[in-house]
């Protein structure tokens, strides 16, 4: 059978995904166990990026593997409404296309526009997920704003409120002036920035003496209500309890002692502004300080700012510094680098403000979520993330869940305009439960998008309804996500799962790393180094892209991705295709026979041994999510062992006739069948296409639902494996000598071997195979090493030589080898010089340092080998 000379990925992709969908192959089937997983729902803000592609591919590998293991498998897809992120992009779109702002629309009008956006991008995301060959069950697709999830969100809110775990209060929060909403602590991204440290003189009451205070934000001094020192700071013990006068404003400030104060910052005396700094807020609570807010939600100075009212915070800073200079109250200013918080979505510098917000008490919810991880009921891969998770959970703070947005789950709270009663309900409230009034106003805010995402593992299965899916598939088995949302999402899902289901939401959490460019830089639009997964799929095909991502996904390390990597694994796909074509073209007279050990040749026993070992190793790797190791072993087995060695070793037998041909046909089909099954989770399209063409008895109509191969102990031959490995080393030795001496690999040469210890006759027993694999004319035994010969192979029992006099000009080759040795000596000197340079070893990219070490070792090995070769032919 001829499958065509060229591997054409896109033709396969379009055809097979449709067949899998139409045959309901993605839906769970009765199995011996279950495997369930929920997709981390992509935001509906735009296209899937390469990080999403990695995430989806790794999930699909586990899903396809477990499906083939016979488990009742379901993978639930869905999308996240992504409150602040979606509203931000829709507002930008409207401003650009319509020249309008959100305030130009009613809430209902804006929500209709955003729903249209959501539906459009949900469709885009579906097509992108399909392009990655993801075998998700589309019949169970969910959206974090669909009616079912809306009911789940309301039920959770009301339950937590009734238990006193949700409350409303005036607290210091992170405010984004651009997005116009509060942000959770996790949504604030901190970066080091160059700024100034201003030293301001605060006069002590009834004296002409001053105390100097250092600050990075002089504009907030308008809201100062105290000065503070560390109680152990001997310099200022005499100041505690005294009064200082706030410059410009004239307010009296008590000097207090608090252990939070760092004696090494500035002068050791700090200003306390409880309404505009989270740490100052805590100091204020401890000392019962007044809270004066002087910056509004637009990041402008409010009416409490006196003559600076109405000014932008940064303009006010400039004016205040100028006024302090005029009054002689600015002692000095210094350059200062410090951490500044920014909105994770738009990049605006956040402003800590004191506002009325809704919060969740996290300590009570965290107790069980800590316990299940401490007890390894939930396991993290890599394990080091367990400690990171627990450290954060031990110090968890209350979660601000209200957002000043229109897009999202509106808070299910209605305020009675008649009696002031707060009505909290799953269903819309039409009249006040206390006084019966119908004059009600719903809370304007929506819930943090992570509130609905936290319910994802059980809300997607139908909760709060008691569905069959919930009963059968909860808890899920695996969560695959990025390490950057371990606190945003993973921790909150564990807390909510334990609270509302009484059980953990998943057994295992696999946290993959960031994808960076080949230089280790984070991918970004500004650098122009991003990789669009759909573009590379269009160029290279889905299977090569999937395999590339899998083989690079080493646990615990960021992934350095070069577009050239995709081409390397497109070559792998071509290799698979060409090997399958060769096999199928040699199956015209095939018939199935029962393989008997006595009929198997050494190469048959070797490949069957390697196949069964590979099945065992890859299965173990996939059980613990070592995706990269499984992919590497599969690549090495398919390309190196099956194609380069076994198929090559079998060619003469395939061109023969009789029983020996039938044996090799049966072996190669058995190996190819299992190999394609192993390949399927990684490269589903090419494996399905080629498996369908194999002339074998199949256990399923489709490979996607066929059985995962099992290791067969009866097909493992350790002694034959040892012998064949010796044959391989001998052949590689011959090839290396030919390469070093510029002899074409296909040129046949003589080989002579000397028996050192008469306990091994592997050459004599396998002469025809060795001659075929190494392109040899004649193999003969000798008692002494021939003159001007190169050693090809040596072990404890035999020495193998290639006489070179008939094939090369000895003098010319000696000159050529000498030049190569000189070049290698220079390379070795350069590598040693680099590695002895402390700056290089400590400051260069670790991968570059490691590569230099590897290059040194390789060059030294080659130098020794060429030196030996030069001596042998001299």
């Amino acid at each position: 059978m001829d499958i065509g000379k060229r591997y054409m990925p896109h033709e396969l992709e379009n055809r097979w995904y449709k067949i899998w969908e139409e045959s309901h192959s993605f839906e769970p089937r009765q199995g011996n166990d279950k495997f369930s997983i929920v997709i981390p729902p992509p935001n509906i803000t735009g296209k899937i990026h390469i990080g999403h592609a990695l995430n989806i591919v790794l999930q699909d590998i586990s899903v396809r593997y477990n499906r083939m293991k016979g488990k009742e498998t379901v993978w639930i897809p869905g999308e996240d409404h992504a409150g602040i992120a979606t509203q931000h992009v829709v507002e930008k779109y409207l401003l650009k296309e319509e020249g309008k702002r959100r305030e130009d629309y009613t809430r209902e009008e804006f929500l209709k526009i955003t729903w249209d956006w959501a539906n459009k991008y949900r469709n885009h995301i579906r097509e992108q997920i399909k392009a990655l060959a993801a075998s998700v069950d589309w019949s169970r697709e969910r959206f974090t704003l669909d009616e079912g999830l809306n009911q789940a969100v309301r039920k959770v809110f009301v339950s937590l409120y009734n238990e006193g775990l949700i409350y409303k209060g005036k607290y210091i929060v992170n405010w984004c002036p651009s997005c116009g909403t509060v942000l959770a602590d996790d949504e604030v991204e901190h970066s080091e920035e160059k700024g100034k440290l201003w030293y301001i003189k605060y006069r002590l009451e009834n004296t002409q003496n001053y105390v100097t205070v250092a600050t990075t934000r002089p504009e907030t001094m308008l809201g100062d209500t105290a000065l503070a020192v560390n109680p152990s700071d001997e310099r200022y013990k005499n100041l505690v309890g005294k009064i200082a006068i706030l410059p410009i404003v004239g307010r009296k400030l008590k000097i207090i002692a608090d252990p939070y104060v760092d004696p090494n910052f500035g002068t050791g005396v700090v200003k306390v502004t409880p309404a505009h700094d989270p740490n100052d807020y805590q100091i204020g609570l401890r000392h019962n300080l007044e809270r004066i807010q002087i910056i509004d939600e637009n990041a402008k100075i409010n009416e409490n700012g006196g003559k600076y009212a109405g000014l932008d915070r940064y303009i006010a800073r400039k004016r205040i510094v100028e006024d302090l200079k005029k009054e002689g109250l600015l002692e000095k200013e210094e350059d200062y680098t410090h951490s500044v918080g920014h909105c994770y979505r738009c990049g605006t510098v956040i402003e800590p403000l004191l506002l009325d917000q809704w919060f969740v008490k996290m300590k009570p919810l965290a107790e069980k979520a800590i316990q299940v991880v401490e007890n390894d009921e939930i396991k993290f891969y890599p394990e080091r993330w367990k400690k990171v998770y627990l450290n954060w959970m031990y110090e968890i703070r209350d979660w601000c869940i209200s957002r000043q947005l229109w897009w999202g789950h509106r808070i299910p709270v209605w305020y009675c305009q008649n009696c002031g009663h707060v009505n909290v309900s799953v269903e819309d409230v039409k009249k006040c439960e206390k006084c019966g009034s119908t004059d009600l106003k719903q809370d304007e805010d929506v819930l943090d998008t992570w509130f609905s995402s936290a319910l994802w593992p059980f809300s997607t299965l139908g909760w709060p309804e008691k569905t069959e899916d919930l009963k059968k598939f909860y808890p899920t088995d695996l969560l695959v996500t990025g390490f950057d949302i371990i606190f945003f999402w993973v921790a909150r899902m564990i807390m909510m799962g334990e609270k509302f289901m009484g059980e953990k939401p998943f057994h295992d959490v696999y946290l993959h790393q960031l994808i960076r460019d080949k230089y280790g830089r984070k991918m970004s639009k500004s650098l122009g180094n991003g990789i669009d997964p759909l573009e590379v799929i269009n160029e290279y095909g889905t299977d090569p892209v999937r395999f590339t991502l899998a083989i690079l996904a080493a646990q615990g390390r960021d992934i350095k991705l070069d577009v050239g990597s995709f081409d390397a694994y497109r070559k792998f796909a071509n290799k698979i295709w060409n090997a399958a074509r060769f096999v199928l073209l040699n199956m015209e007279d095939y018939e199935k026979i029962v393989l008997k050990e006595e009929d198997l040749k050494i190469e048959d026993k070797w490949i069957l041994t390697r196949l069964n070992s590979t099945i065992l190793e890859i299965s173990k790797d996939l059980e613990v999510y070592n995706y990269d190791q499984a992919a590497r072993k599969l690549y090495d087995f398919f390309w190196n062992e099956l194609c380069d060695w076994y198929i090559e070793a079998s060619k003469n037998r395939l061109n023969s006739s009789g029983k020996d041909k039938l044996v090799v046909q049966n072996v190669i089909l058995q190996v190819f069948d299992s190999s394609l099954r192993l390949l399927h989770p990684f490269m589903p399209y090419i494996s399905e296409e080629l498996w369908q063409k194999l002339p074998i008895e199949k256990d399923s109509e489709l490979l996607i639902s066929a059985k995962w191969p099992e290791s067969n102990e009866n097909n493992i031959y350790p002694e034959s494996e040892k012998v064949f490995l010796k044959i391989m080393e001998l052949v590689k030795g011959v090839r290396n000598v030919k390469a070093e001496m510029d002899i074409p690999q296909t040129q046949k040469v003589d080989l002579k071997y000397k028996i050192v210890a008469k306990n091994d006759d592997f050459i004599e027993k396998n002469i025809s195979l060795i001659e075929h694999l190494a392109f040899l004319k004649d193999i003969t035994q000798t008692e002494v090493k021939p003159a001007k010969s190169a050693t090809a192979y040596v072990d404890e029992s035999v020495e193998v030589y290639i006489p070179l006099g008939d094939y090369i000009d000895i003098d010319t080759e000696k000159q050529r080898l000498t030049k190569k040795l000189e070049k290698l000596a220079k390379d070795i000197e350069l590598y040693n010089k680099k590695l002895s340079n402390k700056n290089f070893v400590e400051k260069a990219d670790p991968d570059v340092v490691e590569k230099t070490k590897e290059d040194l070792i390789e060059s030294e090995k080659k130098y020794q080998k060429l030196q030996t070769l030069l001596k042998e032919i001299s």
Side-chain angles (χ1 to χ4, degrees), residues 633-806:
K633 288 165 186 171
L634 185 53
Y635 178 88
D636 289 343
F637 174 76
F638 215 116
W639 186 301
N640 184 33
E641 295 174 335
L642 176 55
C643 296
D644 286 355
W645 286 100
Y646 183 71
I647 289 179
E648 188 60 38
S650 304
K651 283 182 176 177
N652 287 342
R653 295 165 67 197
L654 286 169
N655 288 327
S656 66
S657 58
K659 188 173 184 180
D660 193 35
K661 181 177 183 179
L662 280 178
V663 168
V664 75
Q665 285 177 322
N666 275 264
V667 170
I668 207 167
L669 280 177
Q670 182 180 323
V671 175
F672 232 87
D673 173 24
S674 294
S675 299
L676 291 174
R677 291 173 193 252
L678 292 173
L679 186 68
H680 183 73
F682 299 87
M683 303 177 86
Y685 290 126
I686 193 171
S687 57
E688 183 78 76
E689 175 74 12
L690 296 176
W691 190 76
Q692 294 294 333
K693 307 295 184 185
L694 296 182
I696 58 170
E697 294 177 11
K698 297 183 172 72
D699 57 314
S700 171
E701 288 185 10
L702 296 169
L703 178 56
I704 189 174
S705 50
K707 290 180 181 177
W708 183 255
E710 293 184 6
S711 182
N712 184 349
E713 290 182 3
N714 295 325
N715 276 336
I716 295 178
Y717 306 95
E719 290 306 313
S720 297
E721 182 180 21
K722 287 178 186 175
V723 173
F724 195 79
L725 286 173
K726 294 179 78 166
I727 293 171
M728 290 170 66
E729 289 303 312
L730 189 156
V731 171
K732 284 190 273 189
V734 172
R735 292 172 179 172
N736 287 340
V737 170
K738 286 183 177 181
E740 294 296 350
M741 304 310 299
D742 275 357
I743 300 171
Q745 290 293 340
T746 54
Q747 182 177 333
K748 292 193 173 184
V749 298
D750 291 329
L751 183 143
K752 294 186 181 294
Y753 68 97
K754 175 186 173 185
I755 295 176
V756 179
K758 295 189 177 182
N759 62 350
D760 197 339
D761 55 357
F762 82 94
I763 295 178
E764 189 177 339
K765 283 185 175 179
N766 297 285
I767 282 179
S768 61
L769 178 61
I770 295 169
E771 284 179 344
H772 167 66
L773 290 171
F775 282 91
L776 300 174
K777 282 195 298 189
D778 190 33
I779 300 177
T780 55
Q781 191 174 336
T782 183
E783 294 299 321
V784 295
K785 178 184 177 183
K788 295 181 180 178
S789 67
T791 304
Y793 175 78
V794 174
D795 69 14
E796 69 280 355
S797 61
V798 69
E799 295 175 5
V800 180
Y801 315 104
I802 299 174
L804 295 171
D806 295 337

Side-chain angles (χ1 to χ4, degrees), residues 200 202 217-224 246-247 271 320 324:
I200 303 170
Y202 285 62
R217 302 196 65 198
E219 68 277 14
T220 63
M221 66 182 290
L222 302 174
D224 288 357
L246 178 61
K271 54 193 281 307
I320 288 170
L324 288 169

Side-chain angles (χ1 to χ4, degrees), residues 27-28 74-77 137-142 460 469 473:
E27 296 173 22
V74 66
W75 183 14
I76 297 176
D137 183 354
W138 291 109
S139 69
R140 286 173 163 83
E141 182 185 7
R142 301 304 299 268
T460 51
D469 273 5
F473 296 118

Side-chain angles (χ1 to χ4, degrees), residues 355-555:
L355 298 172
D356 274 328
Q357 299 292 331
W358 288 96
F359 292 83
V360 176
K361 289 181 182 177
M362 300 300 277
K363 288 284 186 185
L365 295 173
E367 290 174 5
K368 185 65 177 174
I370 289 170
Q371 184 184 327
V372 293
V373 173
E374 284 180 332
N375 297 341
D376 285 333
E377 294 174 51
I378 294 177
K379 291 186 177 180
F380 283 87
Y381 298 84
E383 191 179 9
R384 66 185 178 86
W385 289 110
K386 173 182 176 179
K387 185 177 180 181
V388 174
Y389 167 91
L390 288 173
N391 286 343
W392 185 76
M393 292 293 283
Y394 294 147
E395 302 297 326
I396 197 166
R397 295 166 66 176
D398 286 358
W399 174 19
C400 180
I401 55 171
S402 45
R403 298 291 181 271
Q404 290 64 51
L405 306 170
W406 284 352
W407 176 246
H409 293 276
R410 195 163 175 183
I411 291 176
V413 171
W414 289 260
Y415 304 101
C416 179
Q417 303 301 293
N418 187 39
C419 71
H421 180 68
V422 177
N423 298 267
V424 180
S425 171
V426 172
E427 304 301 327
D428 286 359
V429 178
K430 302 300 181 186
K431 64 179 182 177
C432 177
E433 62 188 2
K434 185 175 182 181
C435 72
S437 171
T438 57
D439 188 7
L440 301 169
K441 184 178 181 183
Q442 187 175 0
D443 197 300
E444 293 288 331
D445 290 352
V446 300
L447 289 165
D448 178 10
T449 190
W450 297 104
F451 193 93
S452 54
S453 299
L455 318 181
W456 191 245
F458 53 92
S459 63
T460 51
L461 293 169
W463 189 90
E465 300 298 320
K466 295 180 179 179
T467 64
E468 279 300 310
D469 273 5
L470 193 63
K471 182 180 176 183
K472 185 180 291 185
F473 296 118
Y474 189 91
T476 61
D477 293 272
L478 171 66
L479 175 73
V480 178
T481 189
F483 72 87
D484 51 333
I485 55 174
I486 189 171
F487 310 130
F488 282 119
W489 194 41
V490 178
R492 289 168 181 165
M493 281 191 289
I494 296 173
M495 285 185 272
M496 293 300 187
E498 288 290 345
K499 176 66 178 174
F500 290 96
M501 296 297 297
E503 193 171 359
K504 58 186 177 291
F506 27 71
H507 297 289
D508 296 334
V509 179
Y510 176 91
L511 295 163
H512 61 74
Q513 299 301 93
L514 291 174
I515 295 184
R516 300 183 180 275
D517 69 11
K518 62 182 178 181
Y519 303 108
R521 300 175 303 180
K522 189 173 180 179
M523 291 186 178
S524 68
K525 288 179 182 177
S526 60
L527 289 174
N529 61 347
I531 295 175
D532 184 334
L534 297 186
E535 286 183 11
V536 290
I537 283 172
N538 287 336
E539 184 170 353
Y540 298 100
T542 300
D543 284 340
V545 169
R546 285 172 60 108
F547 201 85
T548 304
L549 293 173
I551 208 166
L552 293 176
Q555 286 189 9

